[in-house]
Amino acid sequence: MFEHFGLKDLFVGLWKYKIIILIVTVITTILLSVVYIKKNTLGITSDTDSFYTENLYYVNQLNNETNEITIDGANKKSENVGQMIATVLVSNVFKEQIFLNMFDQYTDKEIADKFSLQVNRDAFDAEQFFDNIGYKVDNNVGVIKVMYTTNNEELSNFITEESNKYVEQLNKELFDKVEVNNLGNTIVDKSNGVFSQESTISKKILLVIVMFSFVLICIVIFFIILFNPTINRRSDFAEYGVDVLGEIHVKARKEN
Amino acid sequence: MGTSKYKVSKGQKSKYEIEQMICEVRELFDQKDTFCVGISTSTKLRDNKRFVFDCIAEHEKNNENGIYCIDIDEKEINKKDLEKMRNNHKYIIVNLPPISISSEAMEIARECDTLVLVEKYAHTKYSEFEKTLAIIKQENINLAGVISA
């Protein structure tokens, strides 16, 4: 079956399906981009989540030569302190700390009434809960953005307060190395119809998606032409002892 | 027919290719003492075959001793009709549907002196072409060659 297949035949086949490759690449790129953006879009994870919150912090690294600092009792190396703080903010430890503080301040009944949360202190999974409310931290150009959605405004306020407390604590611990400024906390009530959110896709990711789509369709085309080989040149007819009396190219057909 | 005997510019190439193809078809009649040539294809790309047939028909329509072109999609013919045409025309070309899918085309192809297949590079599948060749061999039809269009 594969005796008729060679590298030239592969290129002939790819050229033959060029329009399909182009269209499918574009469509796949659009679909994958939409999926990527949706997956990385925060705040709109559930129709029942009515409050979208953004907390912005500016990280000013006071000493550029400092590449080793202590956060949460552990020495960590990084050229980007903002990235490190963002990592802590999205960590399980930090999330659990939020709820430990909540349990310290409120009883189960108060938590249920105030935050609309039914919690079991003995088997509480902060990570799972944060997955449900759509929590994410971004770190770009020294600005850390903590974003999340909840269905309870009090809960949004509580998480914001805990984030701010953590940042204040960082300022005290790393006063000679890093200065973290709170640029503002915004809670948007989506139920009033004022919610809007930016979501973008970087050029690098887009390029990867385009390349992935292109390679994917090329692989599919490869198998199509591998299992359905075509006669692509004069010598292919010669294999059967058949003469080629004439060759008329596509351009000639159109001109006629 | 091998590579071009004459050098032609890019703009002239298209018409030249068609002229050369018609010359080759005419030579079939002259060299092999042929009266009737059938044009068929192994693929479902009938447009290409129609194009070749139309080129020949257009070329020969004003030629007093030209080739008489019959399209059996437009005009049904049988063995007797072909015999009658022998008396009135010197050369005949019959446009046939793919012989692998049409028994009627097969009947007429048997009556033709030789058969020419119109194929298209990158579209004619080996399986289809081999199937057509097997039928041609089985029916003992004389295959003159292929025109790639």
Side-chain angles (χ1 to χ4, degrees):
Chain A
M1 178 188 279
F2 305 126
E3 68 270 16
H4 299 304
F5 193 78
L7 193 60
K8 282 183 183 176
D9 299 289
L10 173 65
F11 286 112
V12 168
L14 291 176
W15 183 251
K16 176 183 164 186
Y17 291 107
K18 57 186 179 295
I19 303 293
I20 292 175
I21 290 173
L22 194 68
I23 291 170
V24 174
T25 301
V26 169
I27 291 172
T28 313
T29 301
I30 291 169
L31 288 176
L32 289 178
S33 300
V34 168
V35 169
Y36 177 86
I37 289 170
K38 284 211 166 190
K39 199 176 175 185
N40 289 277
T41 294
L42 297 170
I44 316 173
T45 54
S46 165
D47 291 339
T48 58
D49 292 341
S50 298
F51 297 97
Y52 170 72
T53 307
E54 274 189 9
N55 301 330
L56 293 173
Y57 304 103
Y58 177 69
V59 181
N60 184 17
Q61 198 163 336
L62 300 175
N63 183 356
N64 286 335
E65 292 175 2
T66 303
N67 59 2
E68 185 171 333
I69 60 171
T70 305
I71 293 180
D72 288 351
N75 285 334
K76 295 177 180 179
K77 271 190 175 182
S78 174
E79 290 179 357
N80 186 343
V81 179
Q83 179 65 52
M84 285 174 58
I85 297 171
T87 307
V88 172
L89 284 169
V90 81
S91 69
N92 288 352
V93 175
F94 176 72
K95 292 169 184 173
E96 281 170 14
Q97 189 59 48
I98 288 177
F99 285 98
L100 289 175
N101 292 344
M102 184 187 282
F103 296 153
D104 286 345
Q105 294 175 37
Y106 302 101
T107 64
D108 285 359
K109 188 176 181 308
E110 284 171 334
I111 290 172
D113 292 343
K114 190 176 173 70
F115 303 115
S116 308
L117 291 176
Q118 299 297 326
V119 294
N120 178 354
R121 287 171 190 252
D122 298 329
F124 188 76
D125 187 349
E127 169 69 9
Q128 194 177 16
F129 179 78
F130 268 89
D131 279 349
N132 290 335
I133 63 171
Y135 178 92
K136 194 189 173 188
V137 177
D138 267 2
N139 171 45
N140 288 312
V141 205
V143 176
I144 298 173
K145 185 157 68 171
V146 183
M147 300 163 281
Y148 47 90
T149 55
T150 67
N151 56 7
N152 182 295
E153 192 171 6
E154 289 296 332
L155 181 59
S156 293
N157 287 330
F158 188 81
I159 297 173
T160 300
E161 285 170 13
E162 291 300 316
S163 297
N164 291 343
K165 278 182 194 172
Y166 175 74
V167 168
E168 283 173 21
Q169 186 190 332
L170 271 182
N171 272 328
K172 286 175 187 171
E173 289 177 3
L174 308 171
F175 66 93
D176 58 336
K177 295 170 183 170
V178 178
E179 185 182 57
V180 186
N181 298 311
N182 186 349
L183 297 180
N185 309 306
T186 312
I187 298 180
V188 181
D189 186 351
K190 287 195 294 177
S191 59
N192 293 333
V194 287
F195 176 77
S196 68
Q197 184 178 358
E198 288 179 11
S199 54
T200 55
I201 184 167
S202 70
K203 283 180 183 174
K204 195 176 173 185
I205 297 293
L206 188 64
L207 187 67
V208 170
I209 290 175
V210 170
M211 292 300 290
F212 174 77
S213 307
F214 179 75
V215 171
L216 189 71
I217 183 62
C218 284
I219 289 171
V220 173
I221 296 292
F222 167 76
F223 281 105
I224 290 173
I225 57 182
L226 181 66
F227 289 101
N228 292 289
T230 54
I231 292 176
N232 298 326
R233 58 192 73 83
R234 179 185 282 259
S235 60
D236 293 344
F237 287 116
E239 283 179 27
Y240 296 95
V242 176
D243 293 333
V244 177
L245 302 175
E247 287 178 332
I248 301 168
H249 295 93
V250 176
K251 195 180 170 190
R253 296 191 53 212
K254 284 179 182 170
E255 282 181 7
N256 198 62
Chain B
M1 178 184 165
T3 51
S4 306
K5 294 165 193 168
Y6 312 101
K7 283 194 175 180
V8 289
S9 68
K10 202 173 180 182
Q12 291 174 311
K13 190 178 176 185
S14 310
K15 285 182 180 175
Y16 173 77
E17 285 175 345
I18 294 169
E19 290 283 340
Q20 205 174 22
M21 179 269 293
I22 291 169
C23 285
E24 290 291 335
V25 172
R26 275 198 145 271
E27 279 183 23
L28 285 179
F29 291 104
D30 297 336
Q31 290 176 355
K32 298 185 180 178
D33 194 24
T34 304
F35 161 68
C36 179
V37 172
I39 292 184
S40 185
T41 180
S42 65
T43 68
K44 292 162 190 167
L45 298 164
R46 295 188 186 194
D47 287 348
N48 300 49
K49 178 172 63 70
R50 159 72 65 181
F51 168 77
V52 169
F53 178 78
D54 287 347
C55 281
I56 297 169
E58 180 69 22
H59 186 269
E60 298 293 322
K61 71 179 180 186
N62 297 324
N63 190 344
E64 200 172 309
N65 294 316
I67 303 167
Y68 183 63
C69 299
I70 310 164
D71 188 348
I72 72 164
D73 283 339
E74 292 174 359
K75 184 182 178 183
E76 285 188 12
I77 59 165
N78 53 36
K79 192 177 173 182
K80 286 180 183 174
D81 295 330
L82 277 179
E83 287 300 323
K84 285 179 192 170
M85 286 174 194
R86 268 184 199 275
N87 302 325
N88 303 326
H89 303 281
K90 194 176 178 184
Y91 306 124
I92 291 176
I93 280 185
V94 187
N95 183 21
L96 301 167
I99 58 169
S100 58
I101 58 171
S102 168
S103 57
E104 189 187 6
M106 176 75 74
E107 290 294 322
I108 302 295
R110 275 199 213 103
E111 300 307 317
C112 293
D113 297 315
T114 191
L115 187 70
V116 172
L117 294 177
V118 177
E119 306 296 343
K120 188 177 182 184
Y121 291 142
H123 285 80
T124 299
K125 292 177 184 173
Y126 274 97
S127 54
E128 291 172 334
F129 189 66
E130 285 170 357
K131 187 180 173 186
T132 303
L133 285 185
I135 293 170
I136 287 170
K137 194 176 178 184
Q138 183 187 326
E139 300 295 329
N140 205 22
I141 297 169
N142 177 33
L143 179 65
V146 168
I147 292 170
S148 166

